[in-house]
Amino acid sequence: AEEGMPPPAATLAPKEPMSPEEAEAAAAASGLTLERSDNNCTGFKGVSQLKGNSRPYQASFWCEGYTLNIGLFATPQEAALCIARRRRRAEA
């Protein structure tokens, strides 16, 4: 990645998919909260579902007026974990 730019989305997504339980445990271990949402079918803010993909959950993050698509994930919890990690970095 260029200096000052976030790494490509491919480097943010784990190589092996995490189970929902693993993602929840990783969030808890890092002191992160997976932000829930009643407004979409995935149950998590910033996570959308894409049909016909082996990693059908897309994580998106709103930052400085732009939507950043940060990766595709196997579970909505895994996508929400990536969003929580990205938010923490943005707030630092």
Side-chain angles (χ1 to χ4, degrees):
E2 290 181 40
E3 190 171 329
M5 298 297 292
T11 64
L12 298 175
K15 294 184 190 294
E16 291 297 319
M18 297 174 87
S19 71
E21 296 80 15
E22 290 170 327
E24 295 273 358
S30 299
L32 297 169
T33 301
L34 304 185
E35 197 169 343
R36 306 268 178 193
S37 173
D38 294 330
N39 296 330
N40 69 35
C41 66
T42 68
F44 295 95
K45 184 175 180 180
V47 179
S48 56
Q49 188 172 14
L50 305 173
K51 306 276 184 197
N53 193 323
S54 63
R55 292 181 183 234
Y57 297 96
Q58 181 174 353
S60 300
F61 179 77
W62 182 258
C63 182
E64 298 181 16
Y66 296 94
T67 299
L68 303 175
N69 294 317
I70 54 177
L72 297 174
F73 301 89
T75 67
Q77 292 85 352
E78 188 180 20
L81 175 61
C82 186
I83 292 169
R85 288 175 173 162
R86 182 67 176 92
R87 282 200 173 118
R88 176 178 278 173
R89 285 196 348 222
E91 292 170 358

